[in-house]
Amino acid sequence: MQLRYAMTGLVVVLSLAGCQRTAYDYSSNASAGPAPLTAQPVPSVQGGQLPPPTGGSQFPAAPTTTAPMPMPGAEPGAMAANALDITKESMVGSWRVNGSCDMFLTLTNLGSGSRGGTRGCVGELTAMGSWEVAGKQVLLKDRSGNQLGSVYKTADNRFQGQTSTGQSISLSR
């Protein structure tokens, strides 16, 4: 048992022998700091008047239209009358567009609508930047707020509509 105490004491002494004090030594020359840096040459500064900004305004143009667009070949009010009710919250998430690309809709505010975008789409939908629910339709807009198209709910997780140029849009998940 005494050998055990002797070994424990030896281990403690050896472990403490490897330690040294790391505190600051105040007896050293405290005023001896690093040498100052030499100044570098600086090129001369020029002054003058800036040219006027290009373009007429610093703000983008106002949206051209936000009126609902009818389905091709349908009466203007016929599609809206047959459309199912929708909520903004039910639209959030990922949608498959025409079976070939993806549309992502969020609740993050962007202008008068919410942020949205597409991946892998062609045509007008590549410029999509926002969306909003207006009555029984979903308006798809570009980053400036111009309407690109609209869709109506035709079934659970299914929407039909068209772009402003008449291209058919089908959303599903």
Side-chain angles (χ1 to χ4, degrees), residues 72 97-98 122-125 148-150 161-170:
V97 181
N98 298 337
V122 295
E124 290 176 275
L125 292 180
L148 296 175
S150 64
Q162 70 176 10
T163 65
S164 58
T165 60
Q167 177 187 0
S168 180
I169 304 173
S170 171

Side-chain angles (χ1 to χ4, degrees), residues 2 4 7 14 46 51 59-60 66 76 81 117-118 123-124 134 155-156 163-164 167:
Q2 291 188 3
R4 183 174 164 194
M7 291 301 288
L14 289 175
Q46 298 177 354
F59 301 105
T66 57
T118 60
E124 290 176 275
D156 283 343
T163 65
S164 58
Q167 177 187 0

